[in-house]
Amino acid sequence: MRYLSSLASPSPRARPPHPMFRRLLIANRGEVVARVARACRELGVAPVGVVSQADRDSAWARELDEVVCLGPSAARDSYLRRESVLQAALQARCTAVHPGWGFLAEDPLFAALCEQHGVTFVGPSPRVMQLMGLKAAAKATMRAAGVPVIPGSEGLLGTADEAAAVAAEVGYPVILKADAGGGGRGMRRCADEAGLRRAFAEASAEAEAAFGRGALYPEKYLEGGRHVEVQVLGARYGAAVHLYERDCSVQRSHQKLIEEAPCPLLSAEERERLGALAAEAARRIGYAGAGTIEFLRAPEGALYFMEMN
């Protein structure tokens, strides 16, 4: 491993993207870097990385051929600085960036920035990330692609009155969800209208504080439903495959505790149907890279799209 000089000014000329890159920048830290670096070597690609000042001597950094130091220890001053990461890729003569997971992996602005400078972003396009990044838009996209979605509103709601009208139509219990949510924040199960009206402002405020966006939408709460996820891989030219499913129903406060594969409740026919549905959904939206499509399986066996990561 060798350290490159501190960040320099990037070349003013953007290079055209090339599908067969030979040097790849891994824009992450920790175990994900070690895994991607090993995969790079198997493919004959030189792995280059970025580190904060605190990570310069980390064991995982020694898996890399070259390293660029981004800056101070805090992630917001290093790993989350889009321009600095892209600058490191250009300086290190990398024609591709692999974001790993977390940090900039689901940031459409970073993906667009890479695209503008002729650097391949190993993952979905900015357009697809924008479509699937917010839950209400993702549901609308999947509904248009012919994928069943959980009954509920067809868009975001601004008031508790609107939420109550939808709940009366689909039937209680319902669950309020934050459009930009994650980790169970901004979610509330409501057994009746009084509970929904109490929870609406509380859930919106929690989502606003956590994500900077308080928009909500309601869905029918399926009693006894199972949370089943399907891993998908998409190519840039319209092909997609699935790698089967895992059951993630054992949760606490909407946070997964155990993932079990394969899902013990699915028959062979259901497994094939679910995998085909997920792969076709990824293909229809033009998804590229690795992703997870989350479904809810109703007790009677119906499968509904929830979200995509």
Side-chain angles (χ1 to χ4, degrees), residues 75-90:
R76 66 177 179 274
D77 298 323
S78 53
Y79 298 104
L80 289 172
R81 291 181 65 87
R82 303 182 188 96
E83 294 82 0
S84 295
V85 174
L86 176 61
Q87 186 176 337
L90 295 172

Side-chain angles (χ1 to χ4, degrees), residues 12-299:
R13 288 194 303 171
R15 294 166 298 194
H18 195 288
M20 297 300 293
F21 43 83
R22 290 291 176 259
R23 293 171 63 81
L24 177 141
L25 184 96
I26 308 169
N28 215 295
R29 66 181 301 278
E31 176 64 19
V32 62
V33 174
R35 293 187 188 187
V36 176
R38 288 195 292 268
C40 282
R41 290 204 171 85
E42 290 178 8
L43 296 170
V45 177
V48 179
V50 290
V51 294
S52 68
Q53 291 173 355
D55 290 334
R56 288 175 65 95
D57 298 319
S58 298
W60 54 265
R62 293 194 285 274
E63 298 278 349
L64 301 162
D65 287 1
E66 297 175 359
V67 170
V68 180
C69 186
L70 291 174
S73 303
R76 66 177 179 274
D77 298 323
S78 53
Y79 298 104
L80 289 172
R81 291 181 65 87
R82 303 182 188 96
E83 294 82 0
S84 295
V85 174
L86 176 61
Q87 186 176 337
L90 295 172
Q91 177 181 327
R93 297 176 290 109
C94 295
T95 54
V97 171
H98 193 306
W101 56 81
F103 289 139
L104 299 173
E106 297 186 30
D107 186 335
L109 292 179
F110 178 64
L113 196 62
C114 290
E115 191 175 89
Q116 290 165 7
H117 286 78
V119 176
T120 299
F121 179 82
V122 181
S125 68
R127 179 191 68 84
V128 170
M129 275 196 277
Q130 287 176 325
L131 280 176
M132 305 308 291
L134 296 174
K135 292 183 173 61
K139 283 187 64 176
T141 300
M142 286 296 173
R143 187 184 295 113
V147 179
V149 299
I150 301 173
S153 68
E154 294 192 3
L156 301 174
L157 303 181
T159 67
D161 288 340
E162 293 174 342
V166 173
E169 182 179 345
V170 302
Y172 287 95
V174 297
I175 185 166
L176 294 173
K177 292 185 176 181
D179 189 37
R185 288 171 290 184
M187 295 178 65
R188 296 291 188 279
R189 181 183 180 279
C190 309
D192 51 37
E193 182 176 343
L196 182 145
R197 291 184 178 277
R198 285 195 302 270
F200 192 90
E202 183 180 302
S204 180
E206 184 177 63
E208 179 70 33
F211 312 113
R213 182 179 173 86
L216 303 176
Y217 65 95
E219 286 182 344
K220 173 70 176 175
Y221 185 87
L222 299 180
E223 301 278 4
R226 303 285 292 196
H227 184 145
V228 184
E229 300 181 349
V230 181
Q231 193 77 50
V232 294
L233 291 173
R236 291 184 182 274
Y237 305 103
V241 298
H242 71 88
L243 302 179
Y244 293 97
E245 86 294 340
R246 52 188 180 262
D247 189 308
C248 306
S249 302
V250 180
Q251 301 184 6
R252 181 179 182 274
S253 301
H254 305 292
Q255 296 272 32
K256 292 176 285 187
L257 298 178
I258 296 174
E259 296 185 351
E260 182 179 1
C263 175
L265 290 184
L266 295 184
S267 66
E269 291 182 356
E270 287 179 311
R271 179 165 292 110
E272 290 301 319
R273 179 163 57 92
L274 177 61
L277 182 65
E280 177 62 13
R283 189 193 68 78
R284 290 280 295 271
I285 64 174
Y287 193 85
T292 300
I293 301 183
E294 302 185 13
F295 292 90
L296 194 66
R297 181 186 184 275

